[in-house]
Amino acid sequence: MQPQQVERNLSTTLDDCYMVNEPLGVVFIVGGWCSPVQMCLVPLVGAIAAGNCAILNPSEWTVYTAELLHRLIPLYLDTECFHVVLALKNDLPDIVELKFDHVFFTGTREDGNKIAQAAARTLTPVTLVLASKNPCYVDQHCDIVTTAQRIAWARFHNAGQSLVAPDYILCHKSVQVQLVQAMKCCLMQFYGSNSKESHKILWKSGKVAVGGQAIEAEKYIAPTILTDIVDTDLIMQQDVFGPVLPFLTVQNVDEAIAFINKQEKPLCVYAFSNDNKVISQLINETSSGSFCSNDCVLQSLMVTLPFGGVGTSGTEVSDLSVSPICVIRPMRSEPCL
């Protein structure tokens, strides 16, 4: 927060030139139901650190988390500066129009569009963290066992409820056969073999290769892998915050890039390959909020990298010209017992 001196030119040699950081004012933070504590408190910490007041609105879908934050925040933070409101989704555009100094929204593209329109009427700056379908390309030249373990963890942890998890796999048919088998082994290690009846969206998309069991009353869906998927399938048209991973086959990296670029810009792009040229090509020829090679999710855990989307996946929290890239190599083989 200290003033930052800037370089002077000939006409300002004798002057004192510097930039001063000032708090924006009051920030309206709208949390999402996916990771409801994180998506509420992380933006709040940033707002407080920059000297702002804030009003926090947890997701209406996470009733118990919302009630907990509504009860706890006043016990620890100054109630003159920080409040928690329990507003419904349909009320949010009207609240935004009350004129804040910044709005931070996490949610769907449809709701984000409404928030952005409401904020535009008062020229309020907005940060949007929106859902997207994150592609993951798996090259023919990679360690299948390690790749399977890393993708399985990234897709299925937290019951698949993660903004940055890989949403679908793009790979050659021969790679799919090996990778599905390796992931089946991983899922047995991670979760065991207990399973029940399938969820309806699974029956409408491709073929269930692993898992597919569900107990609606218990809100349980087994870690599931789908094959024979095409881009018109229902699961490719919707954001799926669940433990389901579809496979689409491509002939090579060029076809994978073409497929990725036909879709809306994703929050993340992932790639697994031991060939640096393949990784570089994917970095240079795709656009996303972030990129990570030979692993998943890790780029979002690095506090030194900004986090956010691009296009329909949202707006960057920091510099709009920055796309965080996390290149991890080489892969280390980890046996699947």
mmCIF file of all heavy atoms in Angstrom, residues 3-53:
data_model
loop_
_atom_site.group_PDB
_atom_site.id
_atom_site.type_symbol
_atom_site.label_atom_id
_atom_site.label_comp_id
_atom_site.label_asym_id
_atom_site.label_seq_id
_atom_site.Cartn_x
_atom_site.Cartn_y
_atom_site.Cartn_z
ATOM 1 N N PRO A 3 3.297 4.167 -1.404
ATOM 2 C CA PRO A 3 3.428 4.787 -2.731
ATOM 3 C C PRO A 3 4.548 4.130 -3.533
ATOM 4 O O PRO A 3 5.597 3.787 -2.994
ATOM 5 C CB PRO A 3 3.752 6.245 -2.400
ATOM 6 C CG PRO A 3 3.194 6.460 -1.028
ATOM 7 C CD PRO A 3 3.358 5.151 -0.312
ATOM 8 N N GLN A 4 4.327 3.943 -4.835
ATOM 9 C CA GLN A 4 5.299 3.309 -5.714
ATOM 10 C C GLN A 4 5.901 4.344 -6.653
ATOM 11 O O GLN A 4 5.186 4.940 -7.461
ATOM 12 C CB GLN A 4 4.639 2.180 -6.513
ATOM 13 C CG GLN A 4 4.065 1.079 -5.640
ATOM 14 C CD GLN A 4 3.302 0.042 -6.449
ATOM 15 O OE1 GLN A 4 2.983 0.256 -7.607
ATOM 16 N NE2 GLN A 4 3.016 -1.097 -5.834
ATOM 17 N N GLN A 5 7.190 4.540 -6.529
ATOM 18 C CA GLN A 5 7.876 5.492 -7.388
ATOM 19 C C GLN A 5 7.898 4.975 -8.827
ATOM 20 O O GLN A 5 8.036 3.773 -9.069
ATOM 21 C CB GLN A 5 9.306 5.722 -6.896
ATOM 22 C CG GLN A 5 9.405 6.309 -5.493
ATOM 23 C CD GLN A 5 8.923 7.747 -5.423
ATOM 24 O OE1 GLN A 5 9.022 8.498 -6.402
ATOM 25 N NE2 GLN A 5 8.402 8.148 -4.267
ATOM 26 N N VAL A 6 7.760 5.884 -9.786
ATOM 27 C CA VAL A 6 7.804 5.511 -11.202
ATOM 28 C C VAL A 6 8.960 6.229 -11.886
ATOM 29 O O VAL A 6 9.467 7.245 -11.393
ATOM 30 C CB VAL A 6 6.474 5.841 -11.916
ATOM 31 C CG1 VAL A 6 5.332 5.069 -11.296
ATOM 32 C CG2 VAL A 6 6.195 7.344 -11.868
ATOM 33 N N GLU A 7 9.375 5.684 -13.009
ATOM 34 C CA GLU A 7 10.504 6.272 -13.743
ATOM 35 C C GLU A 7 10.114 7.632 -14.309
ATOM 36 O O GLU A 7 9.014 7.815 -14.843
ATOM 37 C CB GLU A 7 10.907 5.336 -14.883
ATOM 38 C CG GLU A 7 12.142 5.794 -15.634
ATOM 39 C CD GLU A 7 12.566 4.812 -16.705
ATOM 40 O OE1 GLU A 7 11.985 3.706 -16.754
ATOM 41 O OE2 GLU A 7 13.463 5.156 -17.506
ATOM 42 N N ARG A 8 11.016 8.590 -14.182
ATOM 43 C CA ARG A 8 10.756 9.943 -14.669
ATOM 44 C C ARG A 8 11.406 10.164 -16.028
ATOM 45 O O ARG A 8 12.400 9.526 -16.353
ATOM 46 C CB ARG A 8 11.279 10.975 -13.673
ATOM 47 C CG ARG A 8 10.542 10.959 -12.331
ATOM 48 C CD ARG A 8 11.213 11.829 -11.296
ATOM 49 N NE ARG A 8 12.535 11.267 -10.918
ATOM 50 C CZ ARG A 8 13.312 11.779 -9.980
ATOM 51 N NH1 ARG A 8 12.946 12.865 -9.330
ATOM 52 N NH2 ARG A 8 14.467 11.218 -9.697
ATOM 53 N N ASN A 9 10.839 11.065 -16.821
ATOM 54 C CA ASN A 9 11.456 11.427 -18.096
ATOM 55 C C ASN A 9 12.093 12.810 -17.980
ATOM 56 O O ASN A 9 12.122 13.399 -16.900
ATOM 57 C CB ASN A 9 10.426 11.384 -19.233
ATOM 58 C CG ASN A 9 9.215 12.266 -18.943
ATOM 59 O OD1 ASN A 9 9.322 13.276 -18.239
ATOM 60 N ND2 ASN A 9 8.059 11.877 -19.493
ATOM 61 N N LEU A 10 12.591 13.306 -19.096
ATOM 62 C CA LEU A 10 13.348 14.560 -19.074
ATOM 63 C C LEU A 10 12.519 15.720 -18.527
ATOM 64 O O LEU A 10 13.015 16.563 -17.775
ATOM 65 C CB LEU A 10 13.848 14.883 -20.487
ATOM 66 C CG LEU A 10 14.720 16.126 -20.630
ATOM 67 C CD1 LEU A 10 16.007 15.999 -19.806
ATOM 68 C CD2 LEU A 10 15.061 16.372 -22.101
ATOM 69 N N SER A 11 11.240 15.768 -18.887
ATOM 70 C CA SER A 11 10.398 16.890 -18.471
ATOM 71 C C SER A 11 9.999 16.825 -16.995
ATOM 72 O O SER A 11 9.505 17.809 -16.450
ATOM 73 C CB SER A 11 9.135 16.959 -19.343
ATOM 74 O OG SER A 11 8.374 15.778 -19.185
ATOM 75 N N THR A 12 10.197 15.665 -16.355
ATOM 76 C CA THR A 12 9.815 15.538 -14.941
ATOM 77 C C THR A 12 11.005 15.159 -14.069
ATOM 78 O O THR A 12 10.833 14.606 -12.988
ATOM 79 C CB THR A 12 8.711 14.468 -14.788
ATOM 80 O OG1 THR A 12 9.183 13.216 -15.308
ATOM 81 C CG2 THR A 12 7.443 14.875 -15.521
ATOM 82 N N THR A 13 12.207 15.472 -14.518
ATOM 83 C CA THR A 13 13.417 15.077 -13.797
ATOM 84 C C THR A 13 13.426 15.597 -12.362
ATOM 85 O O THR A 13 13.864 14.912 -11.435
ATOM 86 C CB THR A 13 14.665 15.591 -14.536
ATOM 87 O OG1 THR A 13 14.678 15.059 -15.853
ATOM 88 C CG2 THR A 13 15.932 15.188 -13.807
ATOM 89 N N LEU A 14 12.926 16.797 -12.163
ATOM 90 C CA LEU A 14 12.966 17.417 -10.840
ATOM 91 C C LEU A 14 11.687 17.174 -10.033
ATOM 92 O O LEU A 14 11.546 17.718 -8.935
ATOM 93 C CB LEU A 14 13.205 18.924 -10.987
ATOM 94 C CG LEU A 14 14.497 19.323 -11.736
ATOM 95 C CD1 LEU A 14 14.604 20.842 -11.832
ATOM 96 C CD2 LEU A 14 15.714 18.740 -11.029
ATOM 97 N N ASP A 15 10.782 16.385 -10.598
ATOM 98 C CA ASP A 15 9.497 16.162 -9.932
ATOM 99 C C ASP A 15 9.493 14.841 -9.153
ATOM 100 O O ASP A 15 10.339 13.973 -9.376
ATOM 101 C CB ASP A 15 8.356 16.142 -10.953
ATOM 102 C CG ASP A 15 8.258 17.460 -11.705
ATOM 103 O OD1 ASP A 15 8.501 18.510 -11.088
ATOM 104 O OD2 ASP A 15 7.964 17.423 -12.911
ATOM 105 N N ASP A 16 8.530 14.712 -8.276
ATOM 106 C CA ASP A 16 8.335 13.481 -7.526
ATOM 107 C C ASP A 16 7.101 12.781 -8.092
ATOM 108 O O ASP A 16 5.975 13.252 -7.903
ATOM 109 C CB ASP A 16 8.141 13.790 -6.041
ATOM 110 C CG ASP A 16 8.258 12.550 -5.167
ATOM 111 O OD1 ASP A 16 8.637 11.492 -5.693
ATOM 112 O OD2 ASP A 16 7.941 12.633 -3.965
ATOM 113 N N CYS A 17 7.300 11.674 -8.814
ATOM 114 C CA CYS A 17 6.202 10.980 -9.495
ATOM 115 C C CYS A 17 6.008 9.594 -8.884
ATOM 116 O O CYS A 17 6.947 8.798 -8.840
ATOM 117 C CB CYS A 17 6.505 10.842 -10.987
ATOM 118 S SG CYS A 17 6.852 12.424 -11.817
ATOM 119 N N TYR A 18 4.790 9.333 -8.433
ATOM 120 C CA TYR A 18 4.549 8.034 -7.818
ATOM 121 C C TYR A 18 3.058 7.678 -7.905
ATOM 122 O O TYR A 18 2.202 8.522 -8.164
ATOM 123 C CB TYR A 18 4.995 8.025 -6.355
ATOM 124 C CG TYR A 18 4.383 9.094 -5.492
ATOM 125 C CD1 TYR A 18 3.206 8.851 -4.778
ATOM 126 C CD2 TYR A 18 4.987 10.341 -5.360
ATOM 127 C CE1 TYR A 18 2.649 9.814 -3.975
ATOM 128 C CE2 TYR A 18 4.433 11.324 -4.556
ATOM 129 C CZ TYR A 18 3.261 11.058 -3.862
ATOM 130 O OH TYR A 18 2.701 12.035 -3.069
ATOM 131 N N MET A 19 2.771 6.384 -7.715
ATOM 132 C CA MET A 19 1.402 5.894 -7.721
ATOM 133 C C MET A 19 0.984 5.557 -6.293
ATOM 134 O O MET A 19 1.774 5.026 -5.517
ATOM 135 C CB MET A 19 1.283 4.641 -8.599
ATOM 136 C CG MET A 19 1.543 4.910 -10.076
ATOM 137 S SD MET A 19 1.242 3.451 -11.097
ATOM 138 C CE MET A 19 2.496 2.331 -10.461
ATOM 139 N N VAL A 20 -0.267 5.867 -5.974
ATOM 140 C CA VAL A 20 -0.814 5.587 -4.652
ATOM 141 C C VAL A 20 -1.973 4.598 -4.796
ATOM 142 O O VAL A 20 -2.873 4.814 -5.619
ATOM 143 C CB VAL A 20 -1.320 6.871 -3.965
ATOM 144 C CG1 VAL A 20 -1.988 6.533 -2.631
ATOM 145 C CG2 VAL A 20 -0.166 7.842 -3.747
ATOM 146 N N ASN A 21 -1.939 3.512 -4.032
ATOM 147 C CA ASN A 21 -3.033 2.543 -4.034
ATOM 148 C C ASN A 21 -4.083 2.963 -3.014
ATOM 149 O O ASN A 21 -3.757 3.227 -1.856
ATOM 150 C CB ASN A 21 -2.506 1.144 -3.679
ATOM 151 C CG ASN A 21 -1.544 0.618 -4.725
ATOM 152 O OD1 ASN A 21 -1.896 0.479 -5.883
ATOM 153 N ND2 ASN A 21 -0.321 0.332 -4.320
ATOM 154 N N GLU A 22 -5.328 3.011 -3.447
ATOM 155 C CA GLU A 22 -6.420 3.371 -2.558
ATOM 156 C C GLU A 22 -7.486 2.279 -2.566
ATOM 157 O O GLU A 22 -7.730 1.664 -3.604
ATOM 158 C CB GLU A 22 -7.064 4.690 -3.015
ATOM 159 C CG GLU A 22 -6.136 5.887 -2.939
ATOM 160 C CD GLU A 22 -6.826 7.167 -3.384
ATOM 161 O OE1 GLU A 22 -7.971 7.069 -3.890
ATOM 162 O OE2 GLU A 22 -6.236 8.247 -3.234
ATOM 163 N N PRO A 23 -8.127 2.027 -1.425
ATOM 164 C CA PRO A 23 -9.247 1.062 -1.413
ATOM 165 C C PRO A 23 -10.357 1.520 -2.350
ATOM 166 O O PRO A 23 -10.604 2.717 -2.510
ATOM 167 C CB PRO A 23 -9.707 1.089 0.043
ATOM 168 C CG PRO A 23 -8.535 1.616 0.822
ATOM 169 C CD PRO A 23 -7.843 2.580 -0.086
ATOM 170 N N LEU A 24 -11.037 0.559 -2.969
ATOM 171 C CA LEU A 24 -12.143 0.901 -3.865
ATOM 172 C C LEU A 24 -13.322 1.459 -3.087
ATOM 173 O O LEU A 24 -13.999 2.379 -3.530
ATOM 174 C CB LEU A 24 -12.591 -0.339 -4.649
ATOM 175 C CG LEU A 24 -11.630 -0.848 -5.719
ATOM 176 C CD1 LEU A 24 -12.133 -2.171 -6.285
ATOM 177 C CD2 LEU A 24 -11.496 0.177 -6.838
ATOM 178 N N GLY A 25 -13.607 0.867 -1.922
ATOM 179 C CA GLY A 25 -14.743 1.318 -1.121
ATOM 180 C C GLY A 25 -15.504 0.141 -0.550
ATOM 181 O O GLY A 25 -15.006 -0.570 0.319
ATOM 182 N N VAL A 26 -16.711 -0.100 -1.082
ATOM 183 C CA VAL A 26 -17.553 -1.200 -0.616
ATOM 184 C C VAL A 26 -17.646 -2.258 -1.713
ATOM 185 O O VAL A 26 -18.026 -1.958 -2.844
ATOM 186 C CB VAL A 26 -18.967 -0.716 -0.236
ATOM 187 C CG1 VAL A 26 -19.818 -1.893 0.247
ATOM 188 C CG2 VAL A 26 -18.883 0.353 0.843
ATOM 189 N N VAL A 27 -17.329 -3.497 -1.355
ATOM 190 C CA VAL A 27 -17.330 -4.607 -2.308
ATOM 191 C C VAL A 27 -18.501 -5.540 -1.995
ATOM 192 O O VAL A 27 -18.725 -5.894 -0.832
ATOM 193 C CB VAL A 27 -15.999 -5.396 -2.229
ATOM 194 C CG1 VAL A 27 -16.002 -6.549 -3.227
ATOM 195 C CG2 VAL A 27 -14.819 -4.475 -2.490
ATOM 196 N N PHE A 28 -19.234 -5.923 -3.035
ATOM 197 C CA PHE A 28 -20.319 -6.888 -2.900
ATOM 198 C C PHE A 28 -19.825 -8.235 -3.403
ATOM 199 O O PHE A 28 -19.468 -8.375 -4.578
ATOM 200 C CB PHE A 28 -21.541 -6.430 -3.695
ATOM 201 C CG PHE A 28 -22.747 -7.327 -3.532
ATOM 202 C CD1 PHE A 28 -23.120 -7.812 -2.287
ATOM 203 C CD2 PHE A 28 -23.521 -7.677 -4.634
ATOM 204 C CE1 PHE A 28 -24.226 -8.629 -2.135
ATOM 205 C CE2 PHE A 28 -24.635 -8.491 -4.497
ATOM 206 C CZ PHE A 28 -24.995 -8.968 -3.244
ATOM 207 N N ILE A 29 -19.758 -9.236 -2.516
ATOM 208 C CA ILE A 29 -19.200 -10.547 -2.850
ATOM 209 C C ILE A 29 -20.325 -11.579 -2.874
ATOM 210 O O ILE A 29 -21.000 -11.798 -1.867
ATOM 211 C CB ILE A 29 -18.132 -10.975 -1.823
ATOM 212 C CG1 ILE A 29 -16.989 -9.955 -1.805
ATOM 213 C CG2 ILE A 29 -17.606 -12.370 -2.136
ATOM 214 C CD1 ILE A 29 -16.006 -10.157 -0.667
ATOM 215 N N VAL A 30 -20.528 -12.207 -4.035
ATOM 216 C CA VAL A 30 -21.557 -13.231 -4.196
ATOM 217 C C VAL A 30 -20.857 -14.578 -4.343
ATOM 218 O O VAL A 30 -20.150 -14.824 -5.322
ATOM 219 C CB VAL A 30 -22.440 -12.959 -5.429
ATOM 220 C CG1 VAL A 30 -23.520 -14.044 -5.547
ATOM 221 C CG2 VAL A 30 -23.077 -11.580 -5.332
ATOM 222 N N GLY A 31 -21.022 -15.458 -3.371
ATOM 223 C CA GLY A 31 -20.365 -16.758 -3.394
ATOM 224 C C GLY A 31 -21.159 -17.785 -4.174
ATOM 225 O O GLY A 31 -22.372 -17.645 -4.375
ATOM 226 N N GLY A 32 -20.483 -18.839 -4.633
ATOM 227 C CA GLY A 32 -21.129 -19.919 -5.362
ATOM 228 C C GLY A 32 -21.367 -21.127 -4.472
ATOM 229 O O GLY A 32 -20.797 -21.237 -3.384
ATOM 230 N N TRP A 33 -22.219 -22.047 -4.928
ATOM 231 C CA TRP A 33 -22.501 -23.242 -4.117
ATOM 232 C C TRP A 33 -21.362 -24.242 -4.177
ATOM 233 O O TRP A 33 -21.210 -25.067 -3.286
ATOM 234 C CB TRP A 33 -23.800 -23.897 -4.567
ATOM 235 C CG TRP A 33 -23.739 -24.580 -5.907
ATOM 236 C CD1 TRP A 33 -24.064 -24.034 -7.111
ATOM 237 C CD2 TRP A 33 -23.333 -25.915 -6.180
ATOM 238 N NE1 TRP A 33 -23.874 -24.954 -8.119
ATOM 239 C CE2 TRP A 33 -23.424 -26.129 -7.575
ATOM 240 C CE3 TRP A 33 -22.893 -26.978 -5.385
ATOM 241 C CZ2 TRP A 33 -23.096 -27.327 -8.186
ATOM 242 C CZ3 TRP A 33 -22.554 -28.183 -5.996
ATOM 243 C CH2 TRP A 33 -22.672 -28.355 -7.383
ATOM 244 N N CYS A 34 -20.550 -24.183 -5.224
ATOM 245 C CA CYS A 34 -19.388 -25.060 -5.349
ATOM 246 C C CYS A 34 -18.242 -24.463 -4.532
ATOM 247 O O CYS A 34 -17.836 -23.327 -4.775
ATOM 248 C CB CYS A 34 -19.014 -25.193 -6.827
ATOM 249 S SG CYS A 34 -17.595 -26.222 -7.147
ATOM 250 N N SER A 35 -17.738 -25.194 -3.558
ATOM 251 C CA SER A 35 -16.732 -24.672 -2.614
ATOM 252 C C SER A 35 -17.247 -23.397 -1.943
ATOM 253 O O SER A 35 -16.655 -22.325 -2.071
ATOM 254 C CB SER A 35 -15.410 -24.399 -3.332
ATOM 255 O OG SER A 35 -14.924 -25.553 -3.977
ATOM 256 N N PRO A 36 -18.361 -23.474 -1.227
ATOM 257 C CA PRO A 36 -19.035 -22.267 -0.738
ATOM 258 C C PRO A 36 -18.255 -21.469 0.287
ATOM 259 O O PRO A 36 -18.382 -20.242 0.336
ATOM 260 C CB PRO A 36 -20.334 -22.824 -0.122
ATOM 261 C CG PRO A 36 -20.013 -24.242 0.233
ATOM 262 C CD PRO A 36 -19.066 -24.709 -0.826
ATOM 263 N N VAL A 37 -17.440 -22.135 1.109
ATOM 264 C CA VAL A 37 -16.639 -21.394 2.085
ATOM 265 C C VAL A 37 -15.498 -20.665 1.375
ATOM 266 O O VAL A 37 -15.281 -19.469 1.579
ATOM 267 C CB VAL A 37 -16.089 -22.341 3.175
ATOM 268 C CG1 VAL A 37 -15.149 -21.595 4.108
ATOM 269 C CG2 VAL A 37 -17.230 -22.960 3.972
ATOM 270 N N GLN A 38 -14.776 -21.386 0.521
ATOM 271 C CA GLN A 38 -13.643 -20.796 -0.190
ATOM 272 C C GLN A 38 -14.068 -19.617 -1.065
ATOM 273 O O GLN A 38 -13.436 -18.559 -1.046
ATOM 274 C CB GLN A 38 -12.966 -21.856 -1.055
ATOM 275 C CG GLN A 38 -11.781 -21.312 -1.864
ATOM 276 C CD GLN A 38 -11.210 -22.364 -2.805
ATOM 277 O OE1 GLN A 38 -11.811 -23.400 -3.036
ATOM 278 N NE2 GLN A 38 -10.053 -22.078 -3.360
ATOM 279 N N MET A 39 -15.157 -19.797 -1.835
ATOM 280 C CA MET A 39 -15.555 -18.759 -2.784
ATOM 281 C C MET A 39 -16.226 -17.571 -2.103
ATOM 282 O O MET A 39 -16.507 -16.561 -2.753
ATOM 283 C CB MET A 39 -16.477 -19.347 -3.855
ATOM 284 C CG MET A 39 -15.833 -20.443 -4.691
ATOM 285 S SD MET A 39 -14.163 -20.031 -5.295
ATOM 286 C CE MET A 39 -14.494 -18.636 -6.362
ATOM 287 N N CYS A 40 -16.466 -17.672 -0.808
ATOM 288 C CA CYS A 40 -16.929 -16.517 -0.031
ATOM 289 C C CYS A 40 -15.772 -15.835 0.699
ATOM 290 O O CYS A 40 -15.609 -14.612 0.635
ATOM 291 C CB CYS A 40 -17.991 -16.942 0.980
ATOM 292 S SG CYS A 40 -19.620 -17.254 0.298
ATOM 293 N N LEU A 41 -14.967 -16.643 1.394
ATOM 294 C CA LEU A 41 -13.964 -16.054 2.282
ATOM 295 C C LEU A 41 -12.692 -15.604 1.575
ATOM 296 O O LEU A 41 -12.062 -14.629 2.004
ATOM 297 C CB LEU A 41 -13.614 -17.050 3.397
ATOM 298 C CG LEU A 41 -14.758 -17.413 4.353
ATOM 299 C CD1 LEU A 41 -14.231 -18.206 5.533
ATOM 300 C CD2 LEU A 41 -15.494 -16.171 4.831
ATOM 301 N N VAL A 42 -12.279 -16.290 0.503
ATOM 302 C CA VAL A 42 -11.060 -15.849 -0.200
ATOM 303 C C VAL A 42 -11.235 -14.451 -0.786
ATOM 304 O O VAL A 42 -10.373 -13.585 -0.593
ATOM 305 C CB VAL A 42 -10.647 -16.872 -1.270
ATOM 306 C CG1 VAL A 42 -9.535 -16.306 -2.157
ATOM 307 C CG2 VAL A 42 -10.168 -18.170 -0.617
ATOM 308 N N PRO A 43 -12.330 -14.158 -1.506
ATOM 309 C CA PRO A 43 -12.524 -12.770 -1.969
ATOM 310 C C PRO A 43 -12.663 -11.781 -0.814
ATOM 311 O O PRO A 43 -12.216 -10.637 -0.921
ATOM 312 C CB PRO A 43 -13.819 -12.844 -2.786
ATOM 313 C CG PRO A 43 -13.962 -14.275 -3.163
ATOM 314 C CD PRO A 43 -13.375 -15.058 -2.029
ATOM 315 N N LEU A 44 -13.281 -12.234 0.287
ATOM 316 C CA LEU A 44 -13.433 -11.348 1.448
ATOM 317 C C LEU A 44 -12.075 -10.988 2.031
ATOM 318 O O LEU A 44 -11.832 -9.826 2.396
ATOM 319 C CB LEU A 44 -14.307 -12.027 2.501
ATOM 320 C CG LEU A 44 -14.534 -11.240 3.800
ATOM 321 C CD1 LEU A 44 -15.251 -9.931 3.516
ATOM 322 C CD2 LEU A 44 -15.318 -12.073 4.806
ATOM 323 N N VAL A 45 -11.180 -11.962 2.119
ATOM 324 C CA VAL A 45 -9.828 -11.687 2.627
ATOM 325 C C VAL A 45 -9.132 -10.659 1.742
ATOM 326 O O VAL A 45 -8.477 -9.729 2.229
ATOM 327 C CB VAL A 45 -9.008 -12.999 2.693
ATOM 328 C CG1 VAL A 45 -7.531 -12.693 2.930
ATOM 329 C CG2 VAL A 45 -9.545 -13.903 3.789
ATOM 330 N N GLY A 46 -9.273 -10.822 0.414
ATOM 331 C CA GLY A 46 -8.662 -9.859 -0.507
ATOM 332 C C GLY A 46 -9.233 -8.467 -0.338
ATOM 333 O O GLY A 46 -8.503 -7.470 -0.359
ATOM 334 N N ALA A 47 -10.548 -8.386 -0.157
ATOM 335 C CA ALA A 47 -11.191 -7.085 0.023
ATOM 336 C C ALA A 47 -10.711 -6.405 1.306
ATOM 337 O O ALA A 47 -10.424 -5.204 1.327
ATOM 338 C CB ALA A 47 -12.706 -7.255 0.044
ATOM 339 N N ILE A 48 -10.619 -7.190 2.386
ATOM 340 C CA ILE A 48 -10.171 -6.642 3.663
ATOM 341 C C ILE A 48 -8.714 -6.199 3.577
ATOM 342 O O ILE A 48 -8.345 -5.119 4.054
ATOM 343 C CB ILE A 48 -10.347 -7.688 4.779
ATOM 344 C CG1 ILE A 48 -11.832 -7.980 5.013
ATOM 345 C CG2 ILE A 48 -9.692 -7.214 6.076
ATOM 346 C CD1 ILE A 48 -12.097 -9.108 5.978
ATOM 347 N N ALA A 49 -7.872 -7.036 2.953
ATOM 348 C CA ALA A 49 -6.446 -6.715 2.844
ATOM 349 C C ALA A 49 -6.215 -5.420 2.083
ATOM 350 O O ALA A 49 -5.250 -4.694 2.350
ATOM 351 C CB ALA A 49 -5.706 -7.868 2.162
ATOM 352 N N ALA A 50 -7.106 -5.113 1.137
ATOM 353 C CA ALA A 50 -6.965 -3.882 0.354
ATOM 354 C C ALA A 50 -7.667 -2.696 1.010
ATOM 355 O O ALA A 50 -7.716 -1.603 0.427
ATOM 356 C CB ALA A 50 -7.523 -4.097 -1.055
ATOM 357 N N GLY A 51 -8.219 -2.903 2.208
ATOM 358 C CA GLY A 51 -8.788 -1.792 2.959
ATOM 359 C C GLY A 51 -10.240 -1.480 2.655
ATOM 360 O O GLY A 51 -10.718 -0.381 2.947
ATOM 361 N N ASN A 52 -10.975 -2.434 2.077
ATOM 362 C CA ASN A 52 -12.362 -2.188 1.702
ATOM 363 C C ASN A 52 -13.344 -2.659 2.767
ATOM 364 O O ASN A 52 -13.036 -3.518 3.589
ATOM 365 C CB ASN A 52 -12.688 -2.929 0.399
ATOM 366 C CG ASN A 52 -11.845 -2.452 -0.760
ATOM 367 O OD1 ASN A 52 -12.078 -1.383 -1.316
ATOM 368 N ND2 ASN A 52 -10.857 -3.245 -1.134
ATOM 369 N N CYS A 53 -14.550 -2.108 2.710
ATOM 370 C CA CYS A 53 -15.690 -2.690 3.402
ATOM 371 C C CYS A 53 -16.314 -3.722 2.463
ATOM 372 O O CYS A 53 -16.072 -3.698 1.257
ATOM 373 C CB CYS A 53 -16.716 -1.617 3.752
ATOM 374 S SG CYS A 53 -16.102 -0.369 4.920
#
